[in-house]
Each structure stands twice: as structure tokens, then as C-alpha cells.
Amino acid sequence: MTELTFDCQSCGACCANFRVDFDESELESNGGKTPDSMGEPIGHGLYRMRGTDHHNPRCSALQGQLGVKVHCAIYEFRPTPCQSFSINSDGCLKARQRKGLGQLSL
Ligand code: SF4
Ligand code: SF4
């Protein structure tokens, strides 16, 4: 069976598809790592990555051109939903498909 691999640095689809919500405890001001300026309060102790609430979501930390060359400006400080998002997961495949990046790079 052929192993399918994606290169996240030439993708970025997941960072421009979903709302990214995280607990307030992840904010720098609360002892976490994620810069306060990147989160917008949405209530119930949750914050949303800036830009992911838009009609066409795109996290404001995502730099570069989708599907060409991208990187996360706060990679080491990104919240847990980003850390736990798995490449080749259903969400990954869905995000790529929605952005017309369904082609698998081998
Ligand atoms: S959609 Fe998948 S391949 Fe693309 S950046 Fe996210 S995890 Fe990586
Ligand atoms: S913080 Fe980084 S990894 Fe998370 S959605 Fe934004 S650009 Fe993507």
C-alpha cells in the first residue's frame, strides 16, 4: 500500500477552514503560551483564534500563500487544538478538499 503524505508547509488548509477555539488558560496572561492578541473571547472561558470566525476563515497567524508555502507565525505557541490536529485525519482531508488541495502528494 502506498503511503500518502502531505507537506503542511505547502498546504495550510486546516488553518483556513475551521474555527479554532481554546481555553482561556492557554493565554499568555493566564500562564499559557498563546499570545493574548491572537485570541478573541467568545464566552464561557473560551477564546477563538483571530480570523477563524470569518465567513472565509483564515487564522491571522497563518503566513504565506495557501497551497504554496505557509507557516504559522506562532507555531511554538499555538493552542492545543492546533497541536492535536492530525495530518491525514478526516479534518485534514476535508480541509484540503474544500480548498481544492485534494491531490495527494506522494
Ligand atoms: S490540512 Fe492537513 S496537510 Fe494541510 S496543513 Fe493541515 S494538517 Fe497539514
Ligand atoms: S495558530 Fe497556527 S497552527 Fe493554529 S490555526 Fe493559526 S496558523 Fe494554524
Side-chain angles (χ1 to χ4, degrees):
M1 186 174 164
T2 309
E3 189 182 344
L4 305 175
T5 57
F6 296 145
D7 175 10
C8 292
Q9 292 182 324
S10 60
C11 179
C14 54
C15 308
N17 252 285
F18 307 116
R19 291 180 181 140
V20 180
D21 298 346
F22 57 96
D23 191 83
E24 61 188 354
S25 62
E26 298 205 54
L27 288 175
E28 236 176 351
S29 59
N30 292 331
K33 289 183 174 177
T34 303
D36 289 28
S37 61
M38 300 305 299
E40 294 186 86
I42 57 170
H44 304 288
L46 291 175
Y47 278 72
R48 183 164 289 165
M49 284 303 297
R50 204 168 287 282
T52 67
D53 203 16
H54 295 169
H55 178 62
N56 288 314
R58 178 176 168 130
C59 180
S60 56
L62 184 66
Q63 308 280 304
Q65 189 179 349
L66 215 67
V68 179
K69 188 170 170 38
V70 293
H71 75 276
C72 173
I74 60 160
Y75 187 77
E76 289 170 29
F77 311 112
R78 68 199 192 288
T80 49
C82 305
Q83 294 175 33
S84 57
F85 193 87
S86 299
I87 190 167
N88 285 346
S89 63
D90 287 349
C92 165
L93 298 175
K94 186 184 286 183
R96 288 182 58 88
Q97 202 167 33
R98 282 184 186 165
K99 293 297 176 189
L101 301 170
Q103 287 282 51
L104 307 178
S105 48
L106 304 176

